[in-house]
PDB file of all heavy atoms in Angstrom:
ATOM      1  N   GLU A  80     -15.116 -96.935 -48.039  1.00 94.00           N
ATOM      2  CA  GLU A  80     -14.720 -97.777 -46.876  1.00 94.00           C
ATOM      3  C   GLU A  80     -15.847 -97.750 -45.747  1.00 94.00           C
ATOM      4  O   GLU A  80     -15.530 -97.531 -44.614  1.00 94.00           O
ATOM      5  CB  GLU A  80     -13.416 -97.341 -46.325  1.00 94.00           C
ATOM      6  CG  GLU A  80     -12.221 -97.456 -47.210  1.00 94.00           C
ATOM      7  CD  GLU A  80     -10.877 -96.989 -46.718  1.00 94.00           C
ATOM      8  OE1 GLU A  80     -10.823 -96.479 -45.514  1.00 94.00           O
ATOM      9  OE2 GLU A  80      -9.889 -97.119 -47.383  1.00 94.00           O
ATOM     10  N   GLY A  81     -16.956 -98.016 -46.215  1.00 94.00           N
ATOM     11  CA  GLY A  81     -18.137 -98.089 -45.358  1.00 94.00           C
ATOM     12  C   GLY A  81     -18.764 -96.799 -44.886  1.00 94.00           C
ATOM     13  O   GLY A  81     -19.766 -96.680 -44.154  1.00 94.00           O
ATOM     14  N   ALA A  82     -18.213 -95.598 -45.427  1.00 96.00           N
ATOM     15  CA  ALA A  82     -18.752 -94.303 -44.969  1.00 96.00           C
ATOM     16  C   ALA A  82     -19.367 -93.732 -46.297  1.00 96.00           C
ATOM     17  O   ALA A  82     -19.036 -94.011 -47.332  1.00 96.00           O
ATOM     18  CB  ALA A  82     -17.573 -93.324 -44.532  1.00 96.00           C
ATOM     19  N   LYS A  83     -20.403 -92.827 -46.008  1.00 97.00           N
ATOM     20  CA  LYS A  83     -21.081 -92.069 -47.094  1.00 97.00           C
ATOM     21  C   LYS A  83     -20.471 -90.757 -47.219  1.00 97.00           C
ATOM     22  O   LYS A  83     -20.415 -90.081 -46.286  1.00 97.00           O
ATOM     23  CB  LYS A  83     -22.523 -91.997 -46.743  1.00 97.00           C
ATOM     24  CG  LYS A  83     -23.257 -93.321 -46.609  1.00 97.00           C
ATOM     25  CD  LYS A  83     -23.704 -93.892 -47.962  1.00 97.00           C
ATOM     26  CE  LYS A  83     -24.610 -95.157 -47.730  1.00 97.00           C
ATOM     27  NZ  LYS A  83     -24.503 -96.093 -48.730  1.00 97.00           N
ATOM     28  N   ILE A  84     -20.028 -90.415 -48.449  1.00 97.00           N
ATOM     29  CA  ILE A  84     -19.510 -89.043 -48.706  1.00 97.00           C
ATOM     30  C   ILE A  84     -20.454 -88.452 -49.775  1.00 97.00           C
ATOM     31  O   ILE A  84     -20.833 -89.177 -50.719  1.00 97.00           O
ATOM     32  CB  ILE A  84     -18.052 -89.075 -49.225  1.00 97.00           C
ATOM     33  CG1 ILE A  84     -17.102 -89.680 -48.195  1.00 97.00           C
ATOM     34  CG2 ILE A  84     -17.574 -87.697 -49.699  1.00 97.00           C
ATOM     35  CD1 ILE A  84     -15.756 -90.049 -48.774  1.00 97.00           C
ATOM     36  N   ILE A  85     -20.764 -87.191 -49.726  1.00 98.00           N
ATOM     37  CA  ILE A  85     -21.562 -86.559 -50.647  1.00 98.00           C
ATOM     38  C   ILE A  85     -20.526 -85.689 -51.488  1.00 98.00           C
ATOM     39  O   ILE A  85     -19.876 -84.865 -50.985  1.00 98.00           O
ATOM     40  CB  ILE A  85     -22.684 -85.636 -50.111  1.00 98.00           C
ATOM     41  CG1 ILE A  85     -23.686 -86.583 -49.320  1.00 98.00           C
ATOM     42  CG2 ILE A  85     -23.464 -84.849 -51.246  1.00 98.00           C
ATOM     43  CD1 ILE A  85     -24.719 -85.726 -48.600  1.00 98.00           C
ATOM     44  N   HIS A  86     -20.546 -85.900 -52.718  1.00 98.00           N
ATOM     45  CA  HIS A  86     -19.643 -85.147 -53.770  1.00 98.00           C
ATOM     46  C   HIS A  86     -20.442 -84.203 -54.584  1.00 98.00           C
ATOM     47  O   HIS A  86     -21.533 -84.572 -55.142  1.00 98.00           O
ATOM     48  CB  HIS A  86     -18.912 -86.080 -54.629  1.00 98.00           C
ATOM     49  CG  HIS A  86     -18.172 -85.539 -55.765  1.00 98.00           C
ATOM     50  ND1 HIS A  86     -18.487 -85.591 -57.000  1.00 98.00           N
ATOM     51  CD2 HIS A  86     -17.019 -84.723 -55.667  1.00 98.00           C
ATOM     52  CE1 HIS A  86     -17.670 -84.763 -57.809  1.00 98.00           C
ATOM     53  NE2 HIS A  86     -16.776 -84.302 -57.065  1.00 98.00           N
ATOM     54  N   VAL A  87     -20.068 -82.878 -54.555  1.00 98.00           N
ATOM     55  CA  VAL A  87     -20.806 -81.933 -55.380  1.00 98.00           C
ATOM     56  C   VAL A  87     -19.680 -81.344 -56.311  1.00 98.00           C
ATOM     57  O   VAL A  87     -18.766 -80.694 -55.865  1.00 98.00           O
ATOM     58  CB  VAL A  87     -21.460 -80.811 -54.479  1.00 98.00           C
ATOM     59  CG1 VAL A  87     -22.128 -79.919 -55.489  1.00 98.00           C
ATOM     60  CG2 VAL A  87     -22.263 -81.355 -53.479  1.00 98.00           C
ATOM     61  N   PHE A  88     -19.911 -81.628 -57.587  1.00 97.00           N
ATOM     62  CA  PHE A  88     -19.053 -80.985 -58.605  1.00 97.00           C
ATOM     63  C   PHE A  88     -19.554 -79.579 -58.901  1.00 97.00           C
ATOM     64  O   PHE A  88     -20.854 -79.594 -59.270  1.00 97.00           O
ATOM     65  CB  PHE A  88     -18.854 -81.731 -59.854  1.00 97.00           C
ATOM     66  CG  PHE A  88     -18.193 -81.037 -60.959  1.00 97.00           C
ATOM     67  CD1 PHE A  88     -16.789 -80.670 -60.774  1.00 97.00           C
ATOM     68  CD2 PHE A  88     -18.896 -80.716 -62.064  1.00 97.00           C
ATOM     69  CE1 PHE A  88     -16.161 -79.944 -61.838  1.00 97.00           C
ATOM     70  CE2 PHE A  88     -18.223 -79.911 -63.088  1.00 97.00           C
ATOM     71  CZ  PHE A  88     -16.911 -79.624 -62.960  1.00 97.00           C
ATOM     72  N   VAL A  89     -18.896 -78.493 -58.706  1.00 97.00           N
ATOM     73  CA  VAL A  89     -19.360 -77.192 -59.065  1.00 97.00           C
ATOM     74  C   VAL A  89     -18.518 -76.701 -60.216  1.00 97.00           C
ATOM     75  O   VAL A  89     -17.266 -76.395 -60.135  1.00 97.00           O
ATOM     76  CB  VAL A  89     -19.219 -76.216 -57.844  1.00 97.00           C
ATOM     77  CG1 VAL A  89     -19.810 -74.898 -58.205  1.00 97.00           C
ATOM     78  CG2 VAL A  89     -19.905 -76.863 -56.663  1.00 97.00           C
ATOM     79  N   PRO A  90     -19.058 -76.444 -61.401  1.00 97.00           N
ATOM     80  CA  PRO A  90     -18.238 -75.975 -62.551  1.00 97.00           C
ATOM     81  C   PRO A  90     -18.074 -74.436 -62.437  1.00 97.00           C
ATOM     82  O   PRO A  90     -18.734 -73.785 -61.685  1.00 97.00           O
ATOM     83  CB  PRO A  90     -19.136 -76.356 -63.815  1.00 97.00           C
ATOM     84  CG  PRO A  90     -20.499 -76.317 -63.248  1.00 97.00           C
ATOM     85  CD  PRO A  90     -20.439 -76.793 -61.836  1.00 97.00           C
ATOM     86  N   GLU A  91     -17.095 -73.977 -63.201  1.00 96.00           N
ATOM     87  CA  GLU A  91     -17.039 -72.488 -63.382  1.00 96.00           C
ATOM     88  C   GLU A  91     -18.242 -72.020 -64.056  1.00 96.00           C
ATOM     89  O   GLU A  91     -18.719 -72.671 -65.034  1.00 96.00           O
ATOM     90  CB  GLU A  91     -15.744 -72.191 -64.157  1.00 96.00           C
ATOM     91  CG  GLU A  91     -15.413 -70.714 -64.473  1.00 96.00           C
ATOM     92  CD  GLU A  91     -14.196 -70.474 -65.241  1.00 96.00           C
ATOM     93  OE1 GLU A  91     -13.536 -71.472 -65.509  1.00 96.00           O
ATOM     94  OE2 GLU A  91     -13.952 -69.348 -65.587  1.00 96.00           O
ATOM     95  N   SER A  92     -18.745 -70.950 -63.579  1.00 96.00           N
ATOM     96  CA  SER A  92     -19.994 -70.397 -64.182  1.00 96.00           C
ATOM     97  C   SER A  92     -19.567 -69.238 -65.109  1.00 96.00           C
ATOM     98  O   SER A  92     -18.635 -68.446 -64.864  1.00 96.00           O
ATOM     99  CB  SER A  92     -20.962 -69.854 -63.127  1.00 96.00           C
ATOM    100  OG  SER A  92     -22.158 -69.365 -63.706  1.00 96.00           O
TER     101      SER A  92
END
Side-chain angles (χ1 to χ4, degrees):
E80 296 181 359
K83 302 279 187 203
I84 298 171
I85 299 173
H86 171 250
V87 183
F88 170 66
V89 183
E91 179 180 357
S92 178

